[in-house]
Amino acid sequence: MSTITTAQQTTRSTRAARKHVWLHGLGATVVASAVVTVLAMAASAAGVSFETASGTIPLAGYAQLTALFSLIGVAMAAVMARVARHPRRTFVVTTVVLTVLSLVPDVTFGFDAASAVVLMLLHVVAAAIVIPVLARRLAR
């Protein structure tokens, strides 16, 4: 009888954890998108061009791409909360590696040095907002 009760409690706590991951992840996504967009506006006002051979990155693009990749991170956290043996560690290691990999296009797409550095910093800022919020919601 206690085994069934323990299993039910574990299922409930797992569902609650996933719900918290989604709710907090959505909040972090909104904050990260806003912060990255404001920083991109400030950098652009300071003279950073964000220009490539195919054109300038539109301002809405910062918010859209930050939201898209942040939501992918939220989905990853929710899945890891359910299936990973050590969800927090798995999530943090995975997202840090993906953040580092996200810097590669900034140096290979033909941006000038200032644009590439600012873009890389924007990636790191978004990750610094979203990853800790999600990681705190995952079991050790």
Side-chain angles (χ1 to χ4, degrees), residues 102-103 125-126:
S102 77
L103 304 178
V125 166

Side-chain angles (χ1 to χ4, degrees), residues 107-124:
V107 294
T108 61
F109 278 13
F111 292 107
D112 62 23
S115 298
V117 168
V118 171
L119 287 169
M120 288 188 278
L121 288 173
L122 293 177
H123 286 245
V124 172

Side-chain angles (χ1 to χ4, degrees), residues 13-26 133-134 137:
S13 66
T14 301
R15 279 191 214 136
R18 279 191 309 228
K19 181 179 179 184
H20 287 289
V21 166
W22 279 104
L23 290 176
H24 288 92
L26 291 175
V133 168
L134 294 172
R137 302 306 177 281

Side-chain angles (χ1 to χ4, degrees), residues 74-99:
V74 173
M76 287 171 43
V79 169
M80 289 177 188
R82 185 175 195 171
V83 300
R85 184 168 293 193
H86 304 286
R88 183 180 294 181
R89 183 177 189 285
T90 304
F91 175 76
V92 170
V93 168
T94 302
T95 53
V96 167
V97 168
L98 290 173
T99 301

